[in-house]
Amino acid sequence: MTRIGIVGAGNVAARHADVLSGFPDVTIAGIADTDPHKAEALASKHGSPAYGGHADLLNAGSLDAVYVCVPPFAHGNPERDVLSCNLPIFVEKPLSLDLQTAEMIATEIERRSLPSAVGHHWRYLDIVERARDLLADRPVRLALGHWLDKVPPVGWWLDPGMSGGQIVEQAVHVLDLARLLVGEVSMVHAVPAGSTVDGEVDRATAAVMRFADGAAGMLATSCLLVQKHRVGLEVCADGIALELSETRLLVDGERVIEDDGQAKTRVDREFVNAVQGREADVRVPYREALRTHRLALALARSAAEGKPVMLDE
């Protein structure tokens, strides 16, 4: 039985706990959160002990791996302490507010040769595999990404010093998919709309991206809406246009292919397989997620500085 600890007890942690508790070879050994009521509520649902912080969870011992599902501003210390215990780690996106913290964590994971994974579950959509098949031998020349949505119902999200902003906190999923289907990005130039409230995250951003192989890209983000309106990635290659969301693939504006809805299960199952030393299809280990995080931070920096940012790959 693989014993997994979870740091964080918010919505994403609860989703992972639900999936993990459904695996017959996994037990949730403990849940930690700085809000003891949230930790207790989630832990009691899964028959696990609750802890007031990640240090207490780690000190209790008997863990085989740890999930770190904390807000952007809280990354760093939990990962450091988990890795100091020589435990495999699953980290929810975004990796951090800055590049230095994420690079330190990536280096430590590799130094210890530990299994790792990051929650870019879009990589596990079966429609993404269909898209890659359709694009075989046809390089993408244009990519259009969107994240047009509402403000999430958490108090820290509108503070850029806590969330990192919409590109880093939400649109990073779309950027990760663009890297997979199109390739690495060499230059970004993001333009924010004027803030509705000083000191809060940009409510809308438009950006252009130049991919290393010559493709052109655009990204549009907004959190002005009352519900999710459009989230996904469109790509154009020679003779084909694909539009991907988390639930379906649209081919040439006509043929609809529905996703099987199993991506959020697969991402956890493959990490558990890796922890168990079995053959595992971990598609986004920490170092791979760091490349996407670097792109998101470059876009955020471009929007803040008002000028293009070059990415060195």
Side-chain angles (χ1 to χ4, degrees):
M1 187 65 72
T2 298
R3 294 173 56 82
I4 292 180
I6 300 177
V7 179
N11 292 336
V12 175
R15 187 191 83 211
H16 285 295
D18 285 343
V19 172
L20 291 166
S21 64
F23 295 152
D25 54 351
V26 170
T27 185
I28 297 173
I31 295 173
D33 197 283
T34 53
D35 182 336
H37 300 294
K38 290 174 70 174
E40 184 58 49
L42 185 57
S44 63
K45 180 181 177 183
H46 296 282
S48 309
Y51 300 92
H54 71 271
D56 293 336
L57 170 66
L58 294 173
N59 289 337
S62 300
L63 296 174
D64 297 308
V66 175
Y67 274 61
V68 177
C69 305
V70 298
F73 62 87
H75 284 285
N77 287 334
E79 289 92 338
R80 251 190 303 262
D81 293 345
V82 169
L83 295 172
S84 72
C85 296
N86 226 42
L87 291 169
I89 191 168
F90 186 110
V91 179
E92 259 305 333
K93 44 59 61 184
L95 301 183
S96 62
L97 290 178
D98 64 295
L99 200 53
Q100 184 179 7
T101 298
E103 287 179 337
M104 175 275 296
I105 293 165
T107 299
E108 189 64 10
I109 289 169
E110 289 165 358
R111 188 178 76 81
R112 294 175 177 271
S113 299
L114 290 167
S116 69
V118 172
H120 284 298
H121 62 271
W122 285 36
R123 294 263 191 135
Y124 290 87
L125 298 169
D126 70 330
I127 53 173
V128 168
E129 293 304 301
R130 295 290 295 273
R132 295 186 79 181
D133 289 343
L134 290 167
L135 292 170
D137 303 320
R138 287 197 275 199
V140 172
R141 308 316 295 159
L142 178 66
L144 308 170
H146 304 88
W147 199 293
L148 311 178
D149 203 345
K150 62 182 183 301
V151 172
V154 286
W156 47 263
W157 199 85
L158 283 172
D159 182 347
M162 299 182 82
S163 70
Q166 188 176 18
I167 292 173
V168 171
E169 211 284 319
Q170 288 183 324
V172 67
H173 278 303
V174 173
L175 295 173
D176 190 64
L177 192 56
R179 285 189 54 248
L180 179 69
L181 296 180
V182 190
E184 301 299 344
V185 175
S186 59
M187 184 280 294
V188 298
H189 191 180
V191 178
S195 250
T196 49
V197 180
D198 283 346
E200 292 189 349
V201 303
D202 297 321
R203 295 301 206 276
T205 306
V208 293
M209 300 180 289
R210 182 169 65 228
F211 289 83
D213 70 349
M218 297 173 62
L219 177 70
T221 66
S222 178
C223 55
L224 288 166
L225 311 178
V226 295
Q227 62 186 11
K228 186 181 287 186
H229 170 64
R230 191 175 191 185
V231 172
L233 180 72
E234 296 176 63
V235 294
C236 297
D238 189 18
I240 193 168
L242 304 179
E243 183 176 341
L244 289 111
S245 72
E246 199 176 350
T247 58
R248 69 171 201 165
L249 168 63
L250 182 63
V251 182
D252 290 330
E254 297 174 345
R255 183 159 62 105
V256 175
I257 303 171
E258 299 289 342
D259 187 70
D260 66 3
Q262 295 303 303
K264 291 176 181 176
T265 299
R266 290 189 195 105
V267 68
D268 287 337
R269 183 68 252 177
E270 296 302 335
F271 174 67
V272 170
N273 289 347
V275 171
Q276 295 172 344
R278 298 163 59 189
E279 185 175 337
D281 180 20
V282 175
R283 299 182 184 179
V284 191
Y286 196 94
R287 177 65 70 179
E288 172 66 9
L290 179 55
R291 295 187 180 96
T292 297
H293 188 54
R294 188 179 289 117
L295 171 57
L297 289 176
L299 282 155
R301 181 180 146 206
S302 176
E305 296 180 354
K307 60 184 181 183
V309 170
M310 307 299 295
L311 287 100
D312 298 321
E313 283 293 330

